Amino acid sequence: MASQRIGETGLSESGPSTHHVPYGVLHGINTPPSGLMNQGSAFDFGELEEAIVLHGIKIRNDEAKASALFTGRPSATLEMFPSWPMRFHQTSRGGSKSGGESTDSGSGVNTRSSKTELQFETESPISIKASSSDHHQAFDQQQQQQETATDASRKGTSQNQSAAKLSQEKKKGAGSTSEKQLDAKALRRLAQNREAARKSRLRKKAYVQQLESSRLKLTHLEQDLQRARSQGLFMGCGGAGGNISSGAAMFDMEYARWLEDDQRHMAELRTGLQAPLSDGELRVVVDGYLSHYDEVFRLKGVAAKSDVFHLINGMWTSPAERCFLWIGGFKPSELITMLIQQLDLLAEQQIMGIYGLRQSSVQAEEALTQGLEQLQHSLVDTIAGGSIGGDGVQQMMAAMGKLANLEGFVGQADNLRQQTLHQLCRLLTVRQAARCFLVIGEYYSRLRALSSLWASRPRETLISDDNSCQTTTELQMVHPSQNHFSTF
Amino acid sequence: MHFEAAASWGGYVAGPPRGTVVGDPVERIERLASENAVVIFSVSTCCMCHAIKRLFCGMGVNPTVHELDEDPRGKDLERALMRLLGSASVVPVVFIGGKLVGTMDRVMACHINGTLVPLLKEAGALWL
């Protein structure tokens, strides 16, 4: 049954299958020998099946003829399954001359084809069913011939030459399979089968390559996702639905990287303070941290152009931070209030300066909040206008224009945040500024960790057996978050 | 072009030629800006303009506001402001003591870095 199926797969695909095959691998183009080995070892079921099915028929005599019709490649690659017999028929090939060579090639290929193990195993019954000592010997011969063929192609001899060589060797070695009956029909059928099998093999190679690249992509995505999870970012996203715009997704990735940079900067500040670095050197570190924040505001500016809602609804940040969200970010006056509590050893002038900064910030925040409120009122009126008897198209267009103002407000809010941080730096000495940034960094780190912890807190009533994977990921999140509680 | 200018002047038939009209709005802006301590050019429906007005009012300043959409020559003024600022987003724009401060960005930055209040005091818009 299975063998028939495979056979059909191998045999039924002739002409139309060519367009599935990548360009360079089509008729007669020399791929490097190692490529050959890989390609053959991975998926040559069609060839194998053909070889098994046709073994009763004597094909050796007509090898040369058939090869002359096609390129030498098909016959060379016919025996492209060194690992196949190796894996399952190892014990039976003790005395064969080509066994040594085949072993080398087979084992080499085996390691490379380890990932396709499962498939090999499922197909093994076929080979076992069809196996006989004849087959083993034939495979050995095929491998040897393939080695020769690849050597030949390496040296760049013409394909016909290698085909001729092959056919000679096959004639020599195929003593045990001695059925000499072949008519033209069988010959043609065999040739077609061979061709179809070859195409099938090439298609499978392309598929494997596709799988490989997808696998690579998947690994990268998983890494990014894991990184983001460890930052407690995607906590709320499970329920929020998968519809995230590309601008938003891009920003989320960049923000995740920014958070990693943040950890690095904080470590620098910490060691800089403990070291202790000179004021000049510390100034460089502090300025570096300021630039780091400038960078996130720049990123947000870009993201606001493509998806301002994403910034405003705070889905890019952790749930705990989202709690305190103000126009797409932290509220500067709240940050200053927190800092006033945490920073000590401030001169009176500095205290005055910071209180003044807080007051200016409050006034600016008030102004922006009221401006945004007016925008919201205006939007409500616009969207709701003409609700009775209207289709709302006009209102939609007007509302679109007003929504565009959102970007401006997020921009001004970020501008306020950026100016506040810069002014803080100006008010403080360089060591105070370093400590100040450490406090800020640690604070948001803890907020993010809090988000993770909160999400992974034991809730037996909510977590059912069905959600076992959810439990695992939440537990996963607890561990990385420990880093956030580093001593400051 | 001449007709356009005449129409925007609300019916004055014999208006000056286009050349002097271009110079006029800028002069007008300068004149308006120096008439009061704090002058804001705004658009009545603009929310950011609303925000900047709230900012000054919240500080206890009483700004003079010129709504460009309510001015017959508003378009000219807008164009002149664009040339002055070098950007398309013209409103809100603030003049203090007759001197250009800038748009919301600049005003915010000045307020945060502590230079806005002294400027206002100097112009007589604020008395502590």
Side-chain angles (χ1 to χ4, degrees):
Chain A
M1 230 69 62
S3 58
Q4 272 179 352
R5 177 174 46 78
I6 296 296
E8 277 160 19
T9 325
L11 298 177
S12 61
E13 296 140 337
S14 19
S17 65
T18 43
H19 51 256
H20 298 303
V21 173
Y23 257 117
V25 201
L26 272 176
H27 304 282
I29 298 171
N30 269 328
T31 54
S34 56
L36 265 178
M37 300 281 278
N38 269 337
Q39 149 192 333
S41 66
F43 281 107
D44 208 5
F45 300 133
E47 303 286 11
L48 178 65
E49 183 54 28
E50 183 206 335
I52 292 165
V53 163
L54 298 173
H55 234 343
I57 303 165
K58 178 63 184 103
I59 59 174
R60 299 293 182 265
N61 288 338
D62 300 289
E63 193 64 72
K65 217 194 265 180
S67 305
L69 288 174
F70 304 97
T71 61
R73 182 136 313 249
S75 44
T77 52
L78 234 194
E79 292 73 36
M80 279 288 300
F81 256 133
S83 67
W84 250 95
M86 282 314 301
R87 287 176 57 78
F88 302 105
H89 311 297
Q90 209 140 12
T91 51
S92 60
R93 70 176 53 254
S96 110
K97 174 187 110 175
S98 60
E101 291 177 67
S102 314
T103 315
D104 293 342
S105 65
S107 57
V109 173
N110 262 332
T111 53
R112 264 173 286 179
S113 62
S114 57
K115 59 182 169 297
T116 55
E117 226 168 305
L118 273 174
Q119 296 199 357
F120 278 124
E121 273 154 18
T122 55
E123 298 303 331
S124 68
I126 301 162
S127 63
I128 288 168
K129 269 187 233 159
S131 73
S132 67
S133 58
D134 292 352
H135 289 220
H136 301 171
Q137 278 197 338
F139 284 142
D140 292 345
Q141 295 304 328
Q142 288 167 1
Q143 283 178 11
Q144 187 189 11
Q145 282 143 19
Q146 182 232 333
E147 290 270 354
T148 324
T150 55
D151 284 342
S153 58
R154 236 183 252 125
K155 290 173 197 154
T157 53
S158 78
Q159 289 160 344
N160 278 339
Q161 270 184 357
S162 59
K165 239 195 214 171
L166 267 171
S167 59
Q168 277 180 343
E169 286 167 359
K170 278 188 184 164
K171 274 185 204 156
K172 273 187 238 166
S176 54
T177 60
S178 51
E179 234 179 321
K180 308 273 179 199
Q181 258 166 298
L182 265 184
D183 50 319
K185 212 192 210 175
L187 196 89
R188 194 170 47 249
R189 186 164 30 94
L190 285 172
Q192 281 172 351
N193 291 347
R194 210 171 304 128
E195 186 59 28
R198 183 179 136 263
K199 284 172 185 158
S200 160
R201 182 184 60 253
L202 293 173
R203 238 193 347 273
K204 280 163 183 170
K205 181 191 179 188
Y207 180 60
V208 167
Q209 284 171 349
Q210 218 179 11
L211 279 180
E212 287 291 318
S213 64
S214 300
R215 203 166 137 265
L216 212 61
K217 245 182 272 173
L218 184 64
T219 320
H220 286 153
L221 277 175
E222 279 174 353
Q223 282 171 2
D224 282 342
L225 192 61
Q226 184 56 40
R227 192 197 305 135
R229 275 230 181 91
S230 74
Q231 303 285 348
L233 280 181
F234 290 146
M235 307 288 303
C237 251
N243 292 341
I244 188 169
S245 76
S246 65
M250 177 80 76
F251 175 72
D252 285 351
M253 284 297 117
E254 289 169 333
Y255 183 63
R257 233 168 279 136
W258 185 87
L259 286 174
E260 285 176 2
D261 277 350
D262 200 54
Q263 297 290 328
R264 199 174 31 85
H265 279 278
M266 294 223 324
E268 252 184 86
L269 281 168
R270 224 173 267 128
T271 54
L273 278 172
Q274 287 168 1
L277 290 179
S278 73
D279 276 8
E281 289 166 328
L282 202 56
R283 168 62 59 195
V284 171
V285 180
V286 167
D287 285 349
Y289 200 74
L290 261 182
S291 307
H292 172 66
Y293 260 98
D294 288 346
E295 176 63 14
V296 80
F297 294 129
R298 186 190 68 80
L299 288 172
K300 285 173 83 180
V302 171
K305 283 187 175 58
S306 69
D307 193 349
V308 68
F309 281 131
H310 183 66
L311 290 177
I312 283 193
N313 67 29
M315 290 312 292
W316 57 278
T317 187
S318 64
E321 288 173 287
R322 217 174 294 150
C323 232
F324 304 102
L325 206 73
W326 174 77
I327 314 187
F330 67 84
K331 207 170 197 184
S333 58
E334 279 176 6
L335 186 70
I336 296 169
T337 304
M338 183 272 290
L339 282 170
I340 288 174
Q341 294 301 314
Q342 298 307 316
L343 292 176
D344 53 1
L345 303 174
L346 294 177
E348 181 158 339
Q349 193 186 13
Q350 290 174 319
I351 295 174
M352 296 295 291
I354 292 187
Y355 272 102
L357 176 61
R358 182 169 69 171
Q359 192 191 16
S360 313
S361 190
V362 167
Q363 286 166 343
E365 289 161 17
E366 268 301 302
L368 284 177
T369 303
Q370 288 177 29
L372 196 58
E373 266 174 30
Q374 203 208 38
L375 178 62
Q376 283 169 348
H377 291 151
S378 167
L379 258 174
V380 166
D381 286 342
T382 305
I383 295 171
S387 295
I388 300 175
D391 62 353
V393 173
Q394 209 178 0
Q395 286 76 18
M396 290 293 185
M397 301 309 294
M400 290 283 280
K402 299 206 176 180
L403 273 180
N405 290 310
L406 271 179
E407 190 194 325
F409 276 96
V410 175
Q412 290 304 330
D414 276 344
N415 178 39
L416 187 64
R417 291 182 262 263
Q418 189 177 20
Q419 294 299 325
T420 304
L421 288 173
H422 279 262
Q423 178 66 2
L424 260 178
C425 240
R426 278 180 227 120
L427 287 171
L428 302 170
T429 68
V430 70
R431 304 202 86 78
Q432 287 167 338
R435 271 196 289 274
C436 170
F437 281 139
L438 268 176
V439 170
I440 293 174
E442 180 67 18
Y443 175 68
Y444 288 116
S445 229
R446 291 185 189 180
L447 274 182
R448 286 188 289 271
L450 193 62
S451 305
S452 295
L453 275 177
W454 182 253
S456 60
R457 74 193 188 284
R459 291 167 290 166
E460 292 83 19
T461 50
L462 289 179
I463 298 173
S464 66
D465 286 340
D466 300 333
N467 293 344
S468 54
C469 54
Q470 182 188 349
T471 318
T472 342
T473 51
E474 285 169 348
L475 287 173
Q476 271 179 5
M477 281 185 262
V478 176
H479 179 63
S481 72
Q482 302 302 339
N483 299 330
H484 296 288
F485 291 111
S486 53
T487 54
F488 152 57
Chain B
M1 283 180 358
H2 185 75
F3 294 117
E4 187 186 309
S8 74
W9 286 6
Y12 292 164
V13 177
R18 191 71 177 159
T20 52
V21 168
V22 168
D24 205 22
V26 177
E27 276 178 30
R28 186 152 171 258
I29 287 172
E30 286 171 358
R31 187 169 39 82
L32 289 171
S34 41
E35 275 175 4
N36 296 89
V38 179
V39 176
I40 305 178
F41 290 95
S42 152
V43 167
S44 58
T45 56
C46 168
C47 303
M48 198 57 82
C49 302
H50 181 75
I52 214 169
K53 289 174 212 164
R54 305 283 353 125
L55 177 66
F56 283 105
C57 295
M59 290 165 62
V61 174
N62 212 3
T64 305
V65 180
H66 297 282
E67 306 283 5
L68 292 180
D69 53 332
E70 290 166 4
D71 189 304
R73 284 175 288 178
K75 274 283 166 204
D76 295 336
L77 292 177
E78 190 183 335
R79 262 188 293 263
L81 281 171
M82 264 163 67
R83 215 171 295 131
L84 209 60
L85 293 168
S87 79
S89 72
V90 164
V91 289
V93 63
V94 176
F95 289 80
I96 298 178
K99 282 189 280 233
L100 173 69
V101 174
T103 57
M104 186 58 135
D105 251 11
R106 284 292 308 145
V107 172
M108 286 283 198
C110 283
H111 192 34
I112 291 298
N113 69 26
T115 55
L116 189 66
V117 169
L119 212 59
L120 288 166
K121 284 183 182 166
E122 204 183 346
L126 257 186
W127 301 275
L128 192 93

